Amino acid sequence: MIGVQARQDQCRHIAFKLGCFDIDVRSDLPEVIDDLGVLYRGCKVAAPDSTDAIRMEVKRTAHRLPARRRYVVLGDGEAFGEEVRRCEVLPYLEWAVNWRLMARCTDLLLVHAASMARNGQGVVFAGQSGAGKSTLVAGLLARGWKYLCDEFAMIDTDTLRLLPFPKAVCVKAGAFDLIERLNLRLCCDRHYVKVLKGPVGYISLSDLPPGAVASPCPVRHVVFPRYTGHPKVRVRPVTDARAAFMLTSHTLNRGVLRERAAMTASQIARDAQCVMLESGDIGEACDLVEALAC
Amino acid sequence: MISTHWTSRNATIVVPPRRKDVVVHEHDDEVVVSLLPDGSTFHLNPTASLVWQRCDGRSTTREIAQQLADDYDVTFDEALNDVEELVLWLTETTLLRKPDET
């Protein structure tokens, strides 16, 4: 076990509810609690409702030199990944919450995707990192679409409905100018770095108009975005089988769900319109998504 | 073991049967196959679906190729090439049963 020193006088606590999940965070790094308090100020609870809360901890490792101090993130008592620097803690903590969700969810399909809704109809944007999912989320939020999540399509395997998990939208530094042009606000002035992705910022749902979070809804469209950097936008239909396979491939907890992952993905693909969207311009991409969803 | 250099043009090769511990999701003329042990998933396009579904432990590559040639209006040689490549891929991805499996 890594040498860990918890200082009781600095350990602080926050609890909040995202969708149907209670999240409880204790941290030796007070700014993490402060920032979570700002990002999730509309979701805070005094104490988790359920004993099944996802329990996260941030613990400072012992080091003589303050500049060399690192932090360990634990989820439900288990250490997650490596020690990280101070500026990496918040994004790493969010990643660890995702990890705990993947381990726990045996009746939810967690697809690596963004999910949004319009008029009670859900759209899943499934793709690898860098495909433009969070940028599409920001663009559609600015157009009044309702938000479910920017990292998961959380699908109930029984009802096949998309469920909200309204975590703060995480955007990479390359999209900061776009966020400003869309009149969306990046929360907190602190500098964050996400391991493997570089500098990131957050849009808090509490900064959006009331009602910005969608209710559970059916999946009507599945979009596989691909950022090409080219201004021309192209949409191509995807066969049900291909869409089912791609959704399954992007399912983060398929090791837990096993054959149910492909079964649920197949049902979703049959019921939804599935397309590949290639674009380099966010405005045109959003125009096209809105046209699809009409 | 099937090597990349084999061809059944002048021989009779019986293809191995499909493995049984799979779940098959059919979508028109394509299928998504999910392996029960670990949930690994494969997408078979119409041609691959047809070939895989003919892998019954009795059919030969030449018989399957003849059906492909008839259904898709391609030459027998082109169809046989496709069948051989697909059988090789299906074997490598373990969608076909190994010879010692029952």
Side-chain angles (χ1 to χ4, degrees):
Chain A
M1 176 75 181
I2 305 159
V4 165
Q5 182 178 329
R7 292 173 50 158
Q8 290 297 321
D9 57 343
Q10 286 198 3
C11 181
R12 290 177 55 195
H13 169 250
I14 187 171
F16 51 96
K17 195 172 186 71
L18 288 185
C20 52
F21 292 94
D22 290 313
I23 299 173
D24 185 283
V25 182
R26 293 177 188 275
S27 174
D28 288 346
L29 186 57
E31 66 202 44
V32 166
I33 303 298
D34 292 339
D35 290 349
L36 287 172
V38 172
L39 287 174
Y40 298 111
R41 58 188 181 277
C43 315
K44 278 196 290 188
V45 295
D49 285 343
S50 73
T51 53
D52 220 20
I54 297 174
R55 299 194 183 275
M56 309 301 298
E57 293 174 86
V58 176
K59 293 193 173 182
R60 195 178 74 203
T61 62
H63 201 287
R64 282 197 313 275
L65 299 173
R68 290 283 182 95
R69 279 183 192 144
R70 295 291 185 262
Y71 295 85
V72 175
V73 174
L74 295 95
D76 295 328
E78 287 184 48
F80 174 69
E82 309 291 324
E83 297 175 2
V84 292
R85 297 173 296 160
R86 184 175 185 154
C87 61
E88 294 171 331
V89 170
L90 183 61
Y92 211 65
L93 176 69
E94 294 216 312
W95 196 1
V97 169
N98 296 346
W99 163 65
R100 294 316 305 152
L101 277 176
M102 284 183 246
R104 284 163 168 245
C105 289
T106 57
D107 54 358
L108 298 177
L109 189 77
L110 300 177
V111 182
H112 188 197
S115 44
M116 300 288 287
R118 180 74 165 243
N119 299 325
Q121 310 293 299
V123 181
V124 170
F125 300 94
Q128 294 174 342
S129 296
K133 302 185 295 295
S134 294
T135 311
L136 272 169
V137 164
L140 293 172
L141 272 175
R143 293 177 180 220
W145 281 58
K146 292 185 185 290
Y147 177 72
L148 289 145
C149 190
D150 73 328
E151 282 193 5
F152 294 124
M154 188 178 274
I155 300 170
D156 187 304
T157 55
D158 288 329
T159 65
L160 301 183
R161 293 177 83 78
L162 261 176
L163 304 179
F165 187 71
K167 57 174 290 297
V169 182
C170 181
V171 290
K172 296 198 279 281
F176 286 176
D177 286 344
L178 171 68
I179 299 303
E180 199 175 323
R181 288 202 306 274
L182 292 172
N183 291 323
L184 295 169
R185 192 171 90 84
L186 281 176
C187 208
C188 310
D189 296 321
R190 222 179 302 280
H191 168 70
Y192 303 112
V193 174
K194 193 164 187 176
V195 174
L196 301 179
K197 290 193 179 181
V200 294
Y202 291 94
I203 301 169
S204 170
L205 277 298
S206 302
D207 286 334
L208 296 175
V213 176
S215 300
C217 57
V219 180
R220 287 288 176 249
H221 305 275
V222 178
V223 177
F224 298 99
R226 199 166 75 88
Y227 176 72
T228 60
H230 198 274
K232 188 171 176 178
V233 180
R234 198 161 76 128
V235 170
R236 290 183 287 133
V238 175
T239 64
D240 291 356
R242 184 80 189 150
F245 170 70
M246 289 168 73
L247 282 171
T248 310
S249 301
H250 287 115
T251 295
L252 296 166
N253 61 338
R254 67 177 183 273
V256 171
L257 294 181
R258 296 193 172 203
E259 73 277 6
R260 277 193 299 141
M263 182 178 74
T264 306
S266 287
Q267 289 174 288
I268 295 290
R270 279 196 197 95
D271 294 343
Q273 181 191 18
C274 305
V275 299
M276 184 88 66
L277 169 65
E278 296 173 348
S279 74
D281 180 272
I282 184 63
E284 295 210 16
C286 288
D287 285 344
L288 215 131
V289 170
E290 292 204 306
L292 277 173
C294 273
Chain B
M1 184 172 122
I2 299 175
S3 77
T4 54
H5 302 292
W6 70 272
T7 177
S8 56
R9 195 160 283 106
N10 298 314
T12 300
I13 305 288
V14 175
V15 295
R18 302 184 296 279
R19 62 188 288 174
K20 289 183 177 176
D21 54 343
V22 296
V23 176
V24 179
H25 304 279
E26 294 182 1
H27 298 267
D28 297 327
D29 51 359
E30 297 176 85
V31 297
V32 174
V33 182
S34 190
L35 302 186
L36 280 172
D38 61 4
S40 301
T41 307
F42 302 89
H43 166 229
L44 306 185
N45 65 16
T47 306
S49 298
L50 189 152
V51 170
W52 184 67
Q53 286 176 20
R54 285 295 308 271
C55 292
D56 52 13
R58 297 185 303 276
S59 301
T60 66
T61 50
R62 296 172 64 84
E63 287 169 349
I64 300 173
Q66 189 59 60
Q67 184 181 349
L68 265 188
D70 294 340
D71 287 354
Y72 287 98
D73 193 25
V74 296
T75 66
F76 176 79
D77 277 351
E78 285 171 341
L80 188 59
N81 265 345
D82 287 346
V83 170
E84 288 170 354
E85 278 186 22
L86 281 165
V87 169
L88 186 61
W89 180 78
L90 290 167
T91 306
E92 287 172 349
T93 52
T94 73
L95 286 176
L96 297 179
R97 255 188 271 167
K98 292 177 187 170
D100 55 349
E101 280 179 2
T102 54

